[in-house]
Amino acid sequence: TQSAGPYTAAGMGMALAAWECRGKTAAEQMAYLHQAAETIADARPTTRSRMALICDGCLNAAEAALAEGRADIDLAIREHVIRTNNRRYGKINQVAKYLVDLFPAHGTVMTQCFGETIIGTVMRAARKQNKDFKVFCAETRPYLQGARLTSYELQRAGVDVTLICDNMASIVMKNGWVQACFVGCDRVAANGDTANKIGTSGVAILAKHYGIPVYVLGPTSTIDMACPDGDHIPIEERDGEEIKTMWYE
């Protein structure tokens, strides 16, 4: 997903690692935490650069806490993660105030996968401005994040949302039922290429064909200037059982 969930989990994972190595010397704790940071950052190849930033922040928090003579390094990291999340949501709320102008006043937008943090915030801002809009939510196979997360969250937020199969995107665009597409992203390369959940490129190509604007939303931490282009973004390969047996048992 592109929500804050995986990144919050990364930080809290570092807090758990600090709890696991409590009682060791300061040097041993930092060595343990550096190893944990490598493991956690590598857990999602497509978002490694961003996960590494989060883990580095936790390492800095741990070093500062040890320098202060604190024994509860796990709590120090947890406090850091909470502060970072609060700052992140504060910034995204500010960004949403500008992005909301891109929403059609009386139209329908389409989403792909799950971008709760940025896309959800923009939609909430649009509702506060009394914009009357609807959402087509693509199911996002094979793991169905769009069906199981995005449509669920939007419905609970009171948004008029319709869940569609991925292969219905073309017909709803052809019928003139979509005025804009909004997606999140896992990483942005230096040349502007973006990586999002599988199927996003198909939505973008269809939208271009039908003259529909596509907006890719993401915080600056998503930009990886060390990655020259999209061909250098590592893509996570998922278990084939997700399409062979998972939904048929």
Side-chain angles (χ1 to χ4, degrees), residues 166-229:
D166 287 346
N167 55 9
M168 292 172 64
S170 178
I171 191 64
V172 297
M173 291 184 189
K174 177 178 181 294
N175 289 345
W177 296 344
V178 177
Q179 282 69 53
C181 296
F182 287 82
V183 299
C185 61
D186 288 320
R187 194 187 297 195
V188 180
N191 72 335
D193 288 347
T194 64
N196 188 46
K197 195 63 63 189
I198 189 73
T200 304
S201 62
V203 169
I205 291 169
L206 287 170
K208 181 178 181 180
H209 177 77
Y210 290 111
I212 300 168
V214 177
Y215 302 100
V216 180
L217 313 182
T220 54
S221 58
T222 310
I223 302 172
D224 183 2
M225 294 305 294
C227 182
D229 53 47

Side-chain angles (χ1 to χ4, degrees), residues 17-33 66 70-71 73:
W19 183 83
E20 290 175 340
C21 66
R22 68 194 185 285
K24 296 180 180 292
T25 67
E28 289 173 334
Q29 288 184 71
M30 288 308 302
Y32 191 92
L33 289 173
L66 286 169
R70 290 184 61 171
I73 308 305

Side-chain angles (χ1 to χ4, degrees), residues 82-137:
I82 292 173
R83 287 194 303 270
T84 301
N85 270 6
N86 288 339
R87 286 197 302 269
R88 183 169 183 266
Y89 275 103
K91 290 179 181 179
I92 289 175
N93 281 328
Q94 292 298 316
V95 172
K97 294 178 181 179
Y98 294 95
L99 294 177
V100 71
D101 291 337
L102 301 176
F103 260 66
H106 300 283
T108 302
V109 301
M110 178 178 288
T111 63
Q112 176 76 9
C113 195
F114 183 55
E116 167 266 335
T117 308
I118 184 68
I119 295 178
T121 302
V122 174
M123 289 188 179
R124 286 191 291 272
R127 294 197 67 202
K128 286 182 179 180
Q129 290 192 13
N130 296 317
K131 286 200 171 185
D132 181 21
F133 64 92
K134 299 179 181 179
V135 178
F136 275 120
C137 177

